[in-house]
Amino acid sequence: GELSSSLAHEKKSPLSSIRINLQALGKKVSGDRVYSEMVDISLQQVQRLEMMLTELLNYSKPLKLQPESLSFAELSREVTHAIGRKVEEKGLRLAIEDRLGDLNLHIDRELMVRALTGLIDNAVQWSPPGGKITLSGKKMAEGKSWFALQVTDEGPGIQERHRKRLFLPFFTTRPEGTGLGLTNVRKIVEQHGGMVFAEENVSLGSVFTIHLPLME
């Protein structure tokens, strides 16, 4: 963890410098289609590396929970604010289904927003334009002091042979994926004493479910 964190920190600074210089070069060659395309490709790869390093940092550093009471409505608003633009840019719609009402959720606000945006970001990657992504919150079966958060999409779904490996570090089925997004989601959820998994036998798309305990 210390080695990964040190390497990630050391590489973020030069990458930032490369990005700034590429952006400046892009302005100089904006009239040249070929060179502009080369700059765009380079900037995309720099952005991908920066994302990988950020996820590696999140994976390597220990989590310190700072729980607070908030409603699902508050939580979903912050999630929408964090990733709503990315959803819209893909031509998708983010729907919120609140079945928790005024129930107080005792969670770390920042970390849970990060976990849910991670699941929604994964849904964005697989959803067809014009599709819908749903973030929902609901109570568990009667007698259980747990609640569930779900992210549902209308993408191609999950192949059964991949299901057991989804949350393993560095496993990804996307060429541009880092393999750490879902791993970081699991880390956050388990730190809260919960669990996260992909639902089986889903008729359309995929459904990721988080189970968390209700705590005072």
Side-chain angles (χ1 to χ4, degrees), residues 34-52:
V34 175
Y35 283 104
S36 292
E37 185 177 347
M38 291 170 66
V39 170
D40 289 341
I41 292 171
S42 299
L43 281 171
Q44 288 172 11
Q45 294 305 311
V46 168
Q47 184 178 17
R48 182 188 173 199
L49 283 171
E50 288 179 327
M51 181 181 68
M52 290 174 66

Side-chain angles (χ1 to χ4, degrees), residues 8-151:
H9 274 297
E10 289 297 325
K11 292 181 185 300
K12 283 180 77 73
S13 181
L15 273 175
S16 178
S17 177
I18 291 170
R19 175 169 45 79
I20 291 170
N21 282 291
L22 280 171
Q23 289 170 339
L25 286 171
K27 293 179 181 179
K28 287 289 185 180
V29 299
S30 59
D32 189 300
R33 184 181 63 81
V34 175
Y35 283 104
S36 292
E37 185 177 347
M38 291 170 66
V39 170
D40 289 341
I41 292 171
S42 299
L43 281 171
Q44 288 172 11
Q45 294 305 311
V46 168
Q47 184 178 17
R48 182 188 173 199
L49 283 171
E50 288 179 327
M51 181 181 68
M52 290 174 66
L53 291 175
T54 298
E55 292 189 351
L56 184 59
L57 276 172
N58 291 334
Y59 176 65
S60 62
K61 66 184 179 183
L63 297 179
K64 294 182 180 179
L65 295 187
Q66 296 181 327
E68 59 179 292
S69 293
L70 71 159
S71 67
F72 177 74
E74 293 175 287
L75 178 64
S76 58
R77 276 197 298 269
E78 295 206 19
V79 170
T80 302
H81 178 74
I83 201 168
R85 179 175 293 181
K86 188 169 186 177
V87 173
E88 292 175 358
E89 287 175 352
K90 182 75 183 287
L92 303 169
R93 180 167 64 92
L94 179 60
I96 306 296
E97 291 184 359
D98 185 356
R99 300 178 190 173
L100 290 171
D102 296 329
L103 187 68
N104 284 326
L105 314 178
H106 200 61
I107 55 178
D108 185 301
R109 180 191 299 258
E110 181 182 344
L111 290 178
M112 196 53 61
V113 167
R114 188 192 302 172
L116 290 173
T117 54
L119 290 179
I120 293 172
D121 182 60
N122 185 69
V124 168
Q125 303 299 325
W126 291 106
S127 295
K132 180 176 73 170
I133 298 171
T134 304
L135 169 61
S136 60
K138 60 183 179 181
K139 297 177 183 178
M140 299 287 288
E142 198 67 32
K144 290 188 177 181
S145 55
W146 289 63
F147 66 96
L149 304 175
Q150 282 188 328
V151 174

